[in-house]
């Protein structure tokens, strides 16, 4: 598990691509401290397992499922990456709970300065957008951010100068793809409500929403 608080930006040292998979070696410094083979590092928000580690880099295998759902397929030597080691249970959770399992990619459709901040508008598929709520959490390329607005086609986040400076976001351009992971807790709630709605289809004409009866039937008494 991760927090979405980026520790450093790494650089792709080499990438060996096959038809639908890859092996990637990343130059880094901070995330290598006490890192061992078999441990996890979030690379642009993707949980990858360290398969080898040297004094200045680590290597990880990327399977077809990850290549298909993420933007790793467009990486090349010299690409910059957001890196974070797995969270420690005895530390503050400064971001939010991040699994490192990407839901899919979005595309930057607008970048707009907003005094000391930068507003990013990102388009995404409907199955991702339906799990995003205003003022909720979203992970973009491994960065824990707060959603400032959302509609049927896209959502928006506001980036403070510190976040832009220490991550890859300051190099992003319109039409660039980004990895997206919606809020983990929100996913379970969304799935639970979907199941509840399905169970009640034969009894009621509604397909979604929370009712007093629904809450009582699922243990939320008062």
């Amino acid at each position: 598990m991760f927090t979405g608080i980026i520790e450093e930006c790494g650089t792709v040292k080499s990438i060996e691509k096959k038809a639908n998979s890859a092996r990637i070696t990343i130059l880094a410094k901070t995330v290598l401290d006490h890192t061992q083979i078999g441990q996890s590092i979030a690379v642009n928000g993707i949980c990858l397992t360290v398969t080898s580690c040297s004094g200045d880099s680590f290597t990880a295998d990327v399977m077809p499922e990850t290549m298909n759902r993420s933007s790793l397929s467009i990486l090349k030597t010299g690409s910059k990456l957001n890196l974070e080691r797995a969270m420690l249970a005895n530390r503050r959770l400064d971001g939010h709970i991040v699994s490192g399992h990407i839901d899919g990619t979005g595309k930057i459709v607008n970048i707009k300065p907003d005094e000391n901040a930068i507003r990013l508008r990102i388009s995404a598929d409907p199955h991702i957008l339906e799990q995003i709520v205003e003022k909720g959490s979203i992970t973009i390329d491994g960065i824990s951010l707060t959603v400032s607005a959302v509609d049927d086609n896209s959502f928006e986040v506001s980036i403070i100068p510190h976040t832009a400076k220490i991550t890859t976001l300051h190099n992003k351009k319109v039409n660039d793809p980004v990895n997206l992971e919606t809020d983990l807790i929100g996913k379970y709630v969304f799935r639970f409500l979907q199941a509840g709605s399905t169970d009640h289809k034969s009894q009621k004409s509604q397909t979604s929403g929370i009712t007093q009866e629904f809450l009582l039937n699922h243990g939320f008494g008062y």
Side-chain angles (χ1 to χ4, degrees):
M1 304 298 292
F2 305 91
T3 67
I5 303 300
I6 303 305
E7 296 187 273
E8 69 172 318
C9 284
T11 305
V12 176
K13 180 179 181 180
S14 66
I15 182 166
E16 305 169 28
K17 292 184 180 179
K18 297 183 179 180
N20 296 299
S21 62
R23 174 171 294 174
I24 183 171
T25 299
I26 300 169
L27 292 168
K29 183 177 179 180
T30 302
V31 299
L32 296 178
D33 187 31
H34 294 95
T35 293
Q36 300 177 1
I37 293 174
Q39 293 183 331
S40 298
I41 294 178
V43 178
N44 269 9
I46 303 162
C47 178
L48 296 180
T49 300
V50 176
T51 57
S52 67
C53 192
S54 67
D56 66 351
S57 65
F58 69 94
T59 299
D61 292 316
V62 185
M63 60 184 176
E65 167 71 7
T66 304
M67 293 290 281
N68 291 336
R69 284 184 179 261
S70 73
S71 64
L72 289 187
S73 60
I74 67 171
L75 290 181
K76 56 186 179 181
T77 301
S79 293
K80 296 295 183 181
L81 300 163
N82 297 317
L83 303 177
E84 181 194 356
R85 288 170 291 185
M87 64 181 290
L88 295 173
N90 64 345
R91 297 285 179 89
R92 292 186 178 91
L93 182 59
D94 290 317
H96 71 281
I97 299 174
V98 176
S99 70
H101 302 156
I102 300 302
D103 294 298
T105 59
K107 183 173 71 174
I108 297 175
V109 294
N110 191 30
I111 302 175
K112 182 179 180 180
D114 187 15
E115 292 194 11
N116 67 336
I118 301 172
R119 291 162 59 185
L120 291 183
R121 171 68 63 169
I122 298 171
S123 64
D125 290 339
H127 78 277
I128 295 178
L129 289 171
E130 66 185 0
Q131 296 182 36
I132 298 176
V133 297
E134 186 175 330
K135 301 306 177 185
S137 296
I138 184 75
T139 307
I140 300 176
D141 274 354
I143 307 163
S144 174
L145 295 167
T146 300
V147 177
S148 56
V150 61
D151 58 32
D152 293 337
N153 301 305
S154 63
F155 69 94
E156 190 175 84
V157 294
S158 189
I159 314 299
I160 62 173
H162 174 75
T163 301
K165 181 180 179 180
I166 69 167
T167 71
T168 60
L169 287 182
H170 68 279
N171 288 324
K172 293 295 182 182
K173 301 177 179 63
V174 171
N175 292 323
D176 279 353
V178 288
N179 297 319
L180 302 176
E181 181 188 336
T182 59
D183 182 63
L184 183 62
I185 297 174
K187 287 179 186 175
Y188 283 104
V189 173
F190 181 79
R191 182 66 174 172
F192 177 74
L193 293 178
Q194 277 192 322
S197 296
T198 302
D199 291 343
H200 286 75
K201 275 184 179 179
S202 60
Q203 301 176 28
K204 292 191 173 186
S205 60
Q206 65 184 37
T207 59
S208 64
I210 303 175
T211 64
Q212 186 178 70
E213 179 185 358
F214 175 84
L215 292 172
L216 290 172
N217 289 338
H218 288 83
F220 294 91
Y222 56 88

